[in-house]
Amino acid sequence: MGQGPTITTIAQRAGVSIASVSRVLNGLPTRQETERKVLAAAEELGYVRNAVARSLKSRRTHQVAFAMADVGNPAYLAMLREIQPVLKAAGYRLVLHSTDAVVADEIEVLHSLGERYVDGLIMVPLRVTEAHLAMLASARAPVVIIGSVPEGTPVDNVRADSRTGVRLALDHLHALGRRRIGLVNGPLDTVPGAARGAAYREALGALGLPYDEELVEIGDFYRAEGGRAVATLLDRVPDLDALMCANDLIALGALDVLRAAGRRVPRDVAVVGMDDTDLAAASWPSLSSVSLGSAERGRAAAELLLDRLRHGEREPRLVTVPPHLVVRASTGRAGAEEPRGDAP
Amino acid sequence: MGQGPTITTIAQRAGVSIASVSRVLNGLPTRQETERKVLAAAEELGYVRNAVARSLKSRRTHQVAFAMADVGNPAYLAMLREIQPVLKAAGYRLVLHSTDAVVADEIEVLHSLGERYVDGLIMVPLRVTEAHLAMLASARAPVVIIGSVPEGTPVDNVRADSRTGVRLALDHLHALGRRRIGLVNGPLDTVPGAARGAAYREALGALGLPYDEELVEIGDFYRAEGGRAVATLLDRVPDLDALMCANDLIALGALDVLRAAGRRVPRDVAVVGMDDTDLAAASWPSLSSVSLGSAERGRAAAELLLDRLRHGEREPRLVTVPPHLVVRASTGRAGAEEPRGDAP
DNA sequence: TTGTATGCGTTATCAC
DNA sequence: GTGATAACGCATACAA
């Protein structure tokens, strides 16, 4: 774990100048003999290029940051799984930032772009505040936002279409004959929370169903709190016959609570989740879920960023990924699920 | 997205030397007046310290790498979730490497330590080859290995105790009266595969049960292939009454296949997974699983690395995290699980 | 083709 | 306390 050889070390060993060493190492034209000596010396010394010095000179770090609220959330994880190989293939390392949904942390990540330790950033902000927009306007490196930013913001933008997504779910529930469809949402001041809340209201309207405040309950985006929200909702609206949950974790919480309350799924209450994570397929009953294309969004974001890094300035782009509904047992397609356990 | 101000820019603006700027920025003693001018100029210009130049000078990047086979694997994810905040709190960024279980990629990661873009590395190798050991012996930065390395390898080492873990599971199954206990394992040339295979054999011996080759089937560590392995095993050993699976994904595959085969879980076949991931709690029947302490191992690894980064050279340390068994419905504690769905 | 010298942005060591 | 100036390791314009 010593100091490690530099091009100076090699130059001495090979009896040439550091310039020649650098040239050989970069494949620039050199005499055979020089090349041989340099490569031999480099090999003997176990030379490895210093990425930091190289970055300082070249002004490129070959690193890209990915910032999201929480690595534990399967939706972000799905993005990460797509982003990582795309960047790796292009020769970029991935720096991971977990902001714990703290706005100040997100701002700090944007600010830190000024430190130039990455060439670009992919961010999934939970909220987009004025502070975000101000930082984005003066960002010191290319940024791709997964989420929605106002038109004119100078960043590439990848959006889900949760409006259509919620619509798909509600159409499905309506077609199954459900009329008292509750919404279990996350905080309304988050991007997904606001979008899903508005979409729910709109989709009800399109179906000719009344919007009833009582049917909406707000918690956060996690299983335990989601379950609590469902419990509250069940107390208030006993004749509920379906639940639209703002993500799969909330939906799992809903299954917990419905079971505890003796409500059968889907016979008494049909449940739809959102994000179509791995958990949806593993749960019982398996969970119908609206896929918002997390993986596709991740890939699109990575590709937009790489394009920007390769081609420099250009007009900001907007990519919208279409959603689709994955129907499983929790909305009760007959025969969709066989019994798997033999618990009483 | 322009060039961005440097200390030189600030020095000009404030009418002082770059040395003074640097001093102020680093909190070294300066005259009030100088400090004021410098800070004012820095503020106006929106100065942010260049991390690359700083790293070149200081020989510290404040970055740490975490390398594992696959971000999608919940066990690695559990480690990541613990490692990330520990590093963040200590002022380190996290660089993520996904090696797809390719040995050459792991070696490459070790090699790349020579580039000095990180101060240290936490790695979860799937196999530990001679090449690994050679690279570890000459690693250019502190390394913590999660897994097992031979004594004398100059790295900190965090181990799970899968031997005890498998023993816990088999004791449990034995206590439930199961005697034909199959093993569904991953490749034997991987660290976990080899360890779990040996532990299974040993635990059977301790219970006075014969080791029967027919009861062992090898696949990989994923759900689909795990299911296929189980199918093969069921064909070969129809009177099987329990399955020890080398991880939760395999166990989920087992549940799939058992259901399709009309075997009830746990009545006909009890199933135990390993790693105790989120999926275990979400599945149906919920999955009994041996926790090997992924989260604890992640945290221990991060803390070992930080300690090493802070205190420099010292004797390599070994930390072993004890396992525990989480009993759920798939091993049929009566009443452990209520019916949650109403599928036929 | 090769070597010398300069700069990338900081920090740190000197004299003053 | 402050200002020149020298590294850190590499790439490159320019001179030889």
Side-chain angles (χ1 to χ4, degrees):
Chain A
M1 231 155 14
Q3 284 308 323
T6 72
I7 53 171
T8 306
T9 329
I10 297 181
Q12 290 167 346
R13 178 79 151 236
V16 298
S17 73
I18 62 167
S20 287
V21 175
S22 178
R23 277 190 287 262
V24 171
L25 263 28
N26 289 311
L28 297 177
T30 40
R31 206 183 350 158
Q32 285 262 323
E33 172 64 5
T34 309
E35 179 173 336
R36 201 191 48 69
K37 284 191 295 187
V38 168
L39 290 179
E43 172 74 15
E44 284 173 49
L45 293 167
Y47 172 78
V48 182
R49 250 206 302 269
N50 183 309
V52 177
R54 174 170 246 253
S55 292
L56 179 59
K57 182 69 183 164
S58 68
R59 296 161 170 282
R60 309 200 99 219
T61 60
H62 295 282
Q63 293 192 157
V64 162
F66 176 53
M68 77 288 136
D70 167 23
V71 222
N73 186 317
Y76 299 134
L77 184 63
M79 295 176 188
L80 178 59
R81 292 177 67 174
E82 292 289 319
I83 292 172
Q84 155 83 28
V86 173
L87 293 182
K88 182 178 177 181
Y92 285 87
R93 284 187 293 265
L94 198 262
V95 177
L96 199 66
H97 288 286
S98 197
T99 61
D100 303 317
V102 176
V103 172
D105 276 26
E106 292 184 355
I107 302 296
E108 168 55 28
V109 168
L110 289 171
H111 181 75
S112 73
L113 287 180
E115 296 178 20
R116 307 212 155 277
Y117 64 96
V118 285
D119 297 339
L121 167 69
I122 297 172
M123 173 174 267
V124 198
L126 219 40
R127 306 153 210 253
V128 176
T129 65
E130 284 302 318
H132 282 86
L133 295 177
M135 292 303 304
L136 288 175
S138 61
R140 293 250 166 76
V143 176
V144 179
I145 293 289
I146 300 181
S148 286
V149 294
E151 213 171 334
T153 311
V155 299
D156 289 333
N157 188 197
V158 179
R159 296 187 189 176
D161 182 358
S162 53
R163 189 176 160 191
T164 302
V166 171
R167 177 70 187 278
L168 290 173
L170 265 59
D171 284 356
H172 173 60
L173 292 170
H174 186 263
L176 294 171
R178 311 292 166 139
R179 293 297 180 270
R180 296 286 281 166
I181 306 173
L183 171 69
V184 192
N185 204 354
L188 293 181
D189 60 347
T190 62
V191 172
R196 289 160 203 194
Y200 166 79
R201 184 165 195 161
E202 185 185 308
L204 284 181
L207 289 168
L209 292 177
Y211 174 78
D212 180 353
E213 276 194 345
E214 293 226 311
L215 283 167
V216 178
E217 186 65 30
I218 312 287
D220 62 19
F221 285 111
Y222 296 92
R223 183 170 183 165
E225 173 60 23
R228 276 191 288 275
V230 170
T232 306
L233 195 50
L234 278 179
D235 272 354
R236 194 168 61 218
V237 191
D239 65 333
L240 198 81
D241 60 12
L243 279 175
M244 166 84 239
C245 301
N247 74 9
D248 283 352
L249 292 174
I250 295 175
L252 288 183
L255 293 180
D256 295 337
V257 168
L258 288 167
R259 183 182 47 162
R263 308 285 187 109
R264 289 163 302 177
V265 175
R267 192 178 301 173
D268 302 330
V269 180
V271 177
V272 179
M274 201 157 212
D275 286 338
D276 188 34
T277 61
D278 292 347
L279 296 173
S283 84
W284 178 270
S286 65
L287 192 63
S288 294
S289 188
V290 177
S291 166
L292 295 177
S294 300
E296 292 82 348
R297 281 182 286 155
R299 182 153 23 77
E303 283 164 359
L304 282 174
L305 186 55
L306 287 178
D307 180 83
R308 173 65 70 94
L309 288 173
R310 278 195 272 259
H311 303 122
E313 292 291 334
R314 59 161 167 68
E315 282 299 297
R317 290 197 193 139
L318 169 62
V319 173
T320 301
V321 174
H324 60 274
L325 176 67
V326 180
V327 177
R328 297 196 183 85
S330 70
T331 54
R333 255 227 307 237
E337 185 86 15
E338 304 291 320
R340 170 156 97 179
D342 62 355
Chain B
M1 231 156 19
Q3 284 308 322
T6 72
I7 53 170
T8 307
T9 329
I10 297 181
Q12 291 166 345
R13 179 79 151 235
V16 298
S17 72
I18 62 167
S20 287
V21 175
S22 179
R23 272 186 223 107
V24 171
L25 263 28
N26 289 309
L28 298 177
T30 40
R31 206 185 345 161
Q32 283 262 324
E33 172 64 6
T34 309
E35 178 173 336
R36 202 190 49 69
K37 283 191 295 188
V38 168
L39 291 179
E43 172 75 14
E44 284 173 50
L45 293 166
Y47 172 78
V48 182
R49 240 207 237 87
N50 184 310
V52 177
R54 187 186 179 72
S55 292
L56 178 59
K57 184 66 184 165
S58 69
R59 297 161 170 282
R60 308 200 98 218
T61 60
H62 296 283
Q63 293 191 158
V64 161
F66 175 53
M68 78 288 138
D70 167 23
V71 222
N73 186 317
Y76 299 133
L77 183 64
M79 295 176 188
L80 178 58
R81 291 176 68 172
E82 292 289 319
I83 292 172
Q84 156 82 27
V86 173
L87 294 181
K88 182 178 177 181
Y92 285 87
R93 284 187 294 264
L94 198 261
V95 177
L96 198 66
H97 288 286
S98 196
T99 61
D100 303 317
V102 175
V103 172
D105 276 24
E106 292 183 356
I107 302 298
E108 169 55 29
V109 168
L110 289 171
H111 181 74
S112 73
L113 287 180
E115 296 179 20
R116 305 212 154 275
Y117 65 96
V118 285
D119 298 338
L121 166 70
I122 298 171
M123 173 174 267
V124 197
L126 258 191
R127 306 152 210 254
V128 176
T129 64
E130 284 302 318
H132 282 86
L133 296 177
M135 293 301 306
L136 288 174
S138 61
R140 295 251 166 77
V143 177
V144 179
I145 293 289
I146 300 181
S148 286
V149 294
E151 212 171 335
T153 311
V155 298
D156 289 334
N157 188 196
V158 178
R159 295 188 190 175
D161 181 358
S162 53
R163 189 177 160 190
T164 303
V166 171
R167 177 70 187 278
L168 289 173
L170 265 59
D171 284 355
H172 173 61
L173 292 169
H174 186 263
L176 294 171
R178 311 294 166 139
R179 293 298 179 269
R180 296 288 280 167
I181 305 173
L183 171 68
V184 193
N185 204 355
L188 293 181
D189 60 347
T190 62
V191 173
R196 290 159 203 195
Y200 166 80
R201 185 165 194 159
E202 185 185 308
L204 283 182
L207 289 167
L209 293 177
Y211 175 78
D212 181 353
E213 277 195 344
E214 294 226 311
L215 283 167
V216 178
E217 187 65 30
I218 311 288
D220 61 21
F221 285 111
Y222 296 92
R223 182 170 184 165
E225 173 61 23
R228 276 191 289 276
V230 171
T232 306
L233 196 50
L234 279 179
D235 271 356
R236 192 169 62 219
V237 191
D239 65 333
L240 196 82
D241 61 12
L243 279 174
M244 166 83 238
C245 302
N247 74 9
D248 284 351
L249 292 174
I250 295 175
L252 288 183
L255 294 180
D256 296 337
V257 168
L258 288 168
R259 184 183 46 162
R263 308 285 187 110
R264 287 164 303 177
V265 175
R267 193 177 301 174
D268 302 331
V269 180
V271 177
V272 179
M274 202 158 212
D275 286 338
D276 188 34
T277 61
D278 292 347
L279 296 173
S283 84
W284 179 271
S286 64
L287 191 65
S288 294
S289 188
V290 176
S291 168
L292 294 177
S294 299
E296 292 82 349
R297 281 182 286 155
R299 182 153 24 77
E303 282 163 0
L304 281 174
L305 185 55
L306 287 178
D307 180 83
R308 173 64 70 94
L309 289 173
R310 278 194 272 260
H311 303 120
E313 292 292 332
R314 58 161 168 68
E315 282 299 297
R317 291 199 192 137
L318 169 63
V319 173
T320 300
V321 174
H324 61 273
L325 175 67
V326 180
V327 177
R328 298 197 182 85
S330 69
T331 54
R333 255 228 306 238
E337 184 87 16
E338 305 290 320
R340 171 154 97 180
D342 61 356

